[in-house]
Structure formats: structure tokens, C-alpha cells
Amino acid sequence: MSNSYVLVINSGSSSLKFAVIDSNSGDALVSGIGECFGLPEAAISWKYDGEKTEESIPAGGNHHQYAFERIVKLLDDLNLTEKFVAIGHRVVAGGESFKGTVRVDEAVVAEIDRLAELAPLHNKANADGMRAAMAVFPSLPQFAIFDTAFHQTMPAKAFTYALPHELYDDYKIRRYGAHGTSHFFVSREAAKMLDKPAEKTNLITVHLGNGASITAVKDGQSVDTSMGLTPLAGLMMGTRCGDLDPSVIEFLIRKGWDSEKIFETLNKKSGFLGVSGLTSDARGIMDAVDAGNERAKLAFEVFTYRVAKYIGSYLVALDSLDAIVFTGGIGENSLPIRSEILNNLKILGFVEDAEANADARFGKSGVIAYSELLGAQAIVIPTNEELVIAQDCVNLL
């Protein structure tokens, strides 16, 4: 297809990311984000032709709707509306209903809405983004790309919870995972760097950002992942607690907490923010560590320790290891966090190349450590979920 531009939309709980992507080259004609929705500092910014523009979003009203309408006007003003041939929507939770990319219609949107019980912070916003796009671009084909799809290859021993089996039969309670688009992309890029076929490559992919997850990739397929029924499980994150003794919930109920307060706390007030008492942003945590803040140091230590523990445990899922792959905003850019994770993996023989680790940041890939014991590398690869989404759309067209 000669014209291969796709409008990619990632509608989140408090943000709306967008880009017009060339599915052949991966280049973005324009990209931007509306963020901090619901807060006084809500704003929308975009990059076009090397220049960045930022505008504040007026207080009050529906910030998602305002941002989408502003994006449409921007695309019209830049004469880009006629260039894209499809719209691709990132969706967090597909449950067992969606095992791959599907074309969007009203029934698909309704099912994505229903599956919000698996991703309460995300799926409602994903569905709202689709409805808005369908209203403005009714004749354009639109596709939903699911974060859970890559993990559909997990064996039952990995996705099954040790609960009465009727809970799976009746409610499909199981591990689904998330960030699958990112884990898929970096696993394929890692295979290229290693000069191996993807189907013969064994990796542990480590997506670290405000949301964070780890995946064991065996022969190119996901065989285990850290997020669970919802994106709350697994690693400590920006505001999410990660793995937790379920009795903590029972304990808080006995203390008079209701379910809304409990899950508001676990989803939005925990993680980096909860442990440090300062911020959910890893950059702010590291600034506070440098300033001597003990709670920030504790947050740093809890996070890096948990990541290393998961990496170690996922060796069980693999016959051999070719590489650990770091990606995501933190994984791609935070030198001290990567260094501490590698330091926690000394028993596996990983020796950091400090200079290479310092170089592999801000959009650059690179090998940052090697283990003679395992014959494995540690690699940094910037993720590109938008390219995967664009390519899926064009392939299905």
C-alpha cells in the first residue's frame, strides 16, 4: 500500500496520546499528548516538523473531548487528515474476548467497555476515544490493538490462579498481562540485534514506566508476565502497589475502609508515590535520593529489588537466556535504576559496562551488560508501540 499513514490514538484515564505514523518507516508526521486531564495544569502539546507547541486546556468541561477536538483541528490545519488510511486504538484489556487486532464497530466498543472491570483506569477511556473517533471519521476503518494479545500464548500453568476453578469457568478470572504491544516490539528488535530468528530467541523483556511489567519470552512467544487479571499486579509502579497479600484488603475492611477507598489507594496512591510520599515520577524520586531523602531511597530500593526478583524468577520459564531487554520511559532512560537492577543480579553473573549504560539513553539502543555464566546480554531498546499499532492496521486493511 503506497499510502501507509495511520492515526494512532492512545486514550488513557488522564491523557490522550496521538501520532500520525508511517507504517513502513515508523516515522511520525506529527505526535503529541494531552495530559493532566482534570487538573489545573491540563495541557496539550505536539511536535511537528521539528518544532514543539504547547497549549493549556481550559478549566472545566470534558478534557478528553476538548483534546480530541483540538487534535482534529490540528490535523486539518496541517493538511494531514487526508493522508491517513486508518485509525488504530491502543486498548489495555481484551480479556479472552480479543486474541488479536480487530476492526472496530459498535459491538467491539461495547465489549471493550464491558471489559473495563479488567482495567478500570484504562478501558473506559479507550472506548470513549473510539466513540469520539468514529463520530468524527465515520468512513475511516478503525482497529483496536490489545495490550493483552501478545500474552495469549501463555500456558495454563502460567495464567491460572490457584482458586476454585469455577471462578475461571464463570468469570474468566486468570492472568492476562498488559504492555503486550511493547513486549512484542522489543522482543523482535532484540532478535535482530542478536542476529537470531525471533522464534529461536529467549528473552526477559522489562518494560519500566509509570506502569511496569516483565515478560518471559520463549522462542518468540510470551510464556509468563507479571501483570495479572488487571494491570495492578506485579511490579511496584508509579502509583500502583503491585503484588500484595490479599489479606491487606481484608485487614483494611476491618478497619472501616470501603472498597472504593481501598482500590483508589492501591491504584492511585501507592507505588513510588505511596512509599516516598513525594511523587510518582521516577525522575523526582532520583532527585530526592540525591538530596538525601530516606523515603525516596526506600522507594528506589523497593522498586529495583522487585524488578530483579522477577527477572530471576523468570529464568524458570526459559530453557536458556539470550538477553534481558530494558524498555519504557524508566527502562530506556534511568541510568541509576538500571545499574541497581544489574547490581541485584550479580549472582547471575551480569557485569555492567558503565560507559555503555550511560550511552544507551534518550532514544539510543545498546548492550549495557554481559553474563558469562548465562551467555546472555542486557540490552536497552526504545519501544515503539505506535509502529506496531500502525503496522497491524495496514496489514488488516
Side-chain angles (χ1 to χ4, degrees), residues 330-350:
I330 296 172
E332 294 170 26
N333 299 307
S334 182
L335 177 62
I337 286 178
R338 291 198 308 239
S339 293
E340 184 63 14
I341 292 168
L342 292 169
N343 183 54
N344 286 334
L345 294 173
K346 286 198 299 285
I347 194 170
L348 301 181
F350 281 95

Side-chain angles (χ1 to χ4, degrees), residues 204 311-312 315 321-326 338-339 341-353 367-379:
I204 297 173
I311 290 172
L315 290 174
L321 180 68
D322 294 307
I324 297 169
V325 184
F326 291 97
R338 291 198 308 239
S339 293
I341 292 168
L342 292 169
N343 183 54
N344 286 334
L345 294 173
K346 286 198 299 285
I347 194 170
L348 301 181
F350 281 95
V351 177
E352 177 190 356
D353 182 331
V367 178
I368 63 171
Y370 183 75
S371 167
E372 287 191 13
L373 178 67
L374 298 176
Q377 302 174 2
I379 304 172

Side-chain angles (χ1 to χ4, degrees), residues 50-73:
E51 293 187 9
K52 182 175 181 179
T53 305
E54 182 169 353
E55 296 177 359
S56 60
I57 295 177
N62 185 321
H63 284 178
H64 275 91
Q65 181 179 345
Y66 178 92
F68 190 81
E69 291 173 354
R70 184 64 187 90
I71 291 165
V72 171
K73 184 178 186 305

Side-chain angles (χ1 to χ4, degrees), residues 47-376:
K47 291 181 182 178
Y48 176 72
D49 201 21
E51 293 187 9
K52 182 175 181 179
T53 305
E54 182 169 353
E55 296 177 359
S56 60
I57 295 177
N62 185 321
H63 284 178
H64 275 91
Q65 181 179 345
Y66 178 92
F68 190 81
E69 291 173 354
R70 184 64 187 90
I71 291 165
V72 171
K73 184 178 186 305
L74 171 67
L75 297 175
D76 282 340
D77 291 346
L78 297 176
N79 296 316
L80 296 179
T81 304
E82 299 303 317
K83 286 186 177 292
F84 49 87
V85 295
I87 300 176
H89 298 268
R90 179 205 176 200
V91 183
V92 169
E96 289 195 337
S97 301
F98 302 105
K99 299 184 185 299
T101 298
V102 297
R103 188 156 179 167
V104 173
D105 57 25
E106 291 294 343
V108 167
V109 177
E111 181 64 5
I112 289 169
D113 226 342
R114 187 189 70 80
L115 290 168
E117 60 190 2
L118 301 180
L121 297 183
H122 302 91
N123 265 45
K124 288 284 187 186
N126 298 155
D128 288 345
M130 290 179 191
R131 291 189 180 99
M134 290 166 72
V136 176
F137 303 106
S139 62
L140 268 180
Q142 305 197 28
F143 299 91
I145 294 84
F146 297 89
D147 273 6
T148 48
F150 182 53
H151 303 303
Q152 289 290 324
T153 53
M154 284 192 294
K157 67 180 181 181
F159 72 67
T160 300
Y161 288 125
L163 295 168
H165 201 270
E166 55 263 29
L167 293 179
Y168 173 71
D169 292 335
D170 296 343
Y171 305 118
K172 303 302 179 188
I173 294 176
R174 50 159 283 185
R175 182 181 304 279
Y176 289 106
H179 294 139
T181 308
S182 177
H183 290 294
F184 170 82
F185 176 81
V186 298
S187 69
R188 270 51 190 170
E189 291 300 301
K192 294 175 189 175
M193 288 180 67
L194 295 164
D195 197 25
K196 295 185 70 170
E199 62 273 14
K200 294 183 179 179
T201 306
N202 296 319
L203 307 163
I204 297 173
T205 53
V206 184
H207 180 107
L208 304 179
N210 190 53
S213 65
I214 297 183
T215 294
V217 180
K218 183 177 181 180
D219 298 329
Q221 294 187 325
S222 171
V223 293
D224 206 348
T225 194
S226 58
M227 285 181 167
L229 175 74
T230 76
L232 184 60
L235 302 177
M236 167 180 164
M237 304 175 221
T239 63
R240 283 173 262 177
C241 62
D243 289 341
L244 184 75
D245 178 354
S247 292
V248 171
I249 297 173
E250 179 192 17
F251 180 87
L252 291 174
I253 290 171
R254 291 203 306 267
K255 293 296 182 182
W257 287 40
D258 62 20
S259 60
E260 184 176 350
K261 182 177 180 180
I262 290 171
F263 286 98
E264 174 87 3
T265 300
L266 300 184
N267 276 292
K268 297 184 178 181
K269 297 181 179 179
S270 299
F272 275 132
L273 176 61
V275 177
S276 72
L278 297 170
T279 179
S280 62
D281 192 298
R283 293 165 294 189
I285 295 293
M286 297 317 305
D287 288 343
V289 169
D290 292 341
N293 186 290
E294 288 299 316
R295 283 180 59 182
K297 181 183 177 185
L298 177 61
F300 165 75
E301 290 175 344
V302 172
F303 181 77
T304 52
Y305 177 64
R306 286 194 177 192
V307 173
K309 275 208 306 182
Y310 257 100
I311 290 172
S313 71
Y314 277 3
L315 290 174
V316 174
L318 305 175
D319 296 326
S320 62
L321 180 68
D322 294 307
I324 297 169
V325 184
F326 291 97
T327 193
I330 296 172
E332 294 170 26
N333 299 307
S334 182
L335 177 62
I337 286 178
R338 291 198 308 239
S339 293
E340 184 63 14
I341 292 168
L342 292 169
N343 183 54
N344 286 334
L345 294 173
K346 286 198 299 285
I347 194 170
L348 301 181
F350 281 95
V351 177
E352 177 190 356
D353 182 331
E355 184 176 346
N357 198 9
D359 288 341
R361 291 186 292 168
F362 314 125
K364 294 181 181 178
S365 300
V367 178
I368 63 171
Y370 183 75
S371 167
E372 287 191 13
L373 178 67
L374 298 176

